[in-house]
Amino acid sequence: MAVTRTFSIIKPDATRRNLTGAVTKMLEEAGLRVVASKRIQMTKDQAEGFYAVHKERPFFGELVDFMISGPVVVQVLEGEDAVKRNRDVMGATNPADADEGTIRKTYAESIEANSVHGSDSDENAKIEIDYFFDENEIVG
Ligand code: ADP
Ligand code: MG
């Protein structure tokens, strides 16, 4: 299995509750390595651009407002089959459907305020990493 990268966001509901370390610990225990990390306040433009694939969904406006409601921590994670490994430890989008031991089951407040984002494919991981990081900010 190849070592690959994925992109993660610790969302405002988690930073607000001081869970940056707790969430990162679960990522690390799942075999992922944080090779880039920064805490930022996303702008509305940035959030709308990031979630552009969802712009026709009914929750788009609320999702953007939520993502700019407080700081987020954007991270690049590295590990074997990183996209799937991260999605597995994140759990289902709706915490009510998430498996025990996943980040969303443990910490998410709702289907919207669900504590973490993770890329859904290698292709999107690259696009999302490039959206927030320069290559020289990523140090394995
Ligand atoms: P995931 O984050 O698991 O990949 P999606 O890509 O489908 O899920 O959705 C992106 C984000 O939009 C979710 O993480 C969540 O914050 C929000 N979201 C998804 N579905 C809903 C919904 N039905 N109502 C409100 N927010 C939602
Ligand atoms: Mg998604």
Side-chain angles (χ1 to χ4, degrees):
M1 193 73 67
V3 172
T4 59
R5 287 177 177 173
T6 191
F7 175 74
S8 168
I9 304 176
I10 301 176
K11 295 185 178 182
D13 67 286
T15 62
R16 188 177 295 122
R17 288 175 288 152
N18 206 22
L19 294 171
T20 298
V23 170
T24 301
K25 184 166 194 275
M26 290 181 80
L27 297 171
E28 291 176 342
E29 284 174 351
L32 294 159
R33 174 176 293 268
V34 180
V35 295
S37 183
K38 57 189 175 189
R39 185 174 176 104
I40 61 168
Q41 172 64 52
M42 260 199 237
T43 65
K44 190 163 189 179
D45 278 357
Q46 246 179 332
E48 285 175 348
F50 181 73
Y51 277 124
V53 296
H54 295 307
K55 66 176 182 294
E56 306 305 332
R57 312 262 296 260
F59 57 81
F60 177 71
E62 279 183 16
L63 175 61
V64 167
D65 287 344
F66 164 62
M67 291 300 288
I68 65 173
S69 68
V72 299
V73 179
V74 290
Q75 297 179 319
V76 181
L77 307 177
E78 210 169 74
E80 287 190 5
D81 205 2
V83 168
K84 180 177 188 304
R85 193 175 282 266
N86 186 39
R87 297 290 308 193
D88 286 350
V89 72
M90 285 165 60
T93 308
N94 186 346
D97 301 330
D99 290 340
E100 289 295 335
T102 61
I103 294 168
R104 284 167 165 171
K105 179 71 171 185
T106 306
Y107 293 122
E109 293 180 325
S110 67
I111 190 170
E112 177 181 83
N114 59 4
S115 302
V116 280
H117 166 84
S119 309
D120 60 11
S121 67
D122 287 346
E123 189 188 5
N124 284 335
K126 180 168 175 20
I127 292 167
E128 292 174 0
I129 290 168
D130 289 347
Y131 193 77
F132 286 101
F133 289 96
D134 291 331
E135 188 58 38
N136 65 9
E137 294 178 292
I138 304 168
V139 182

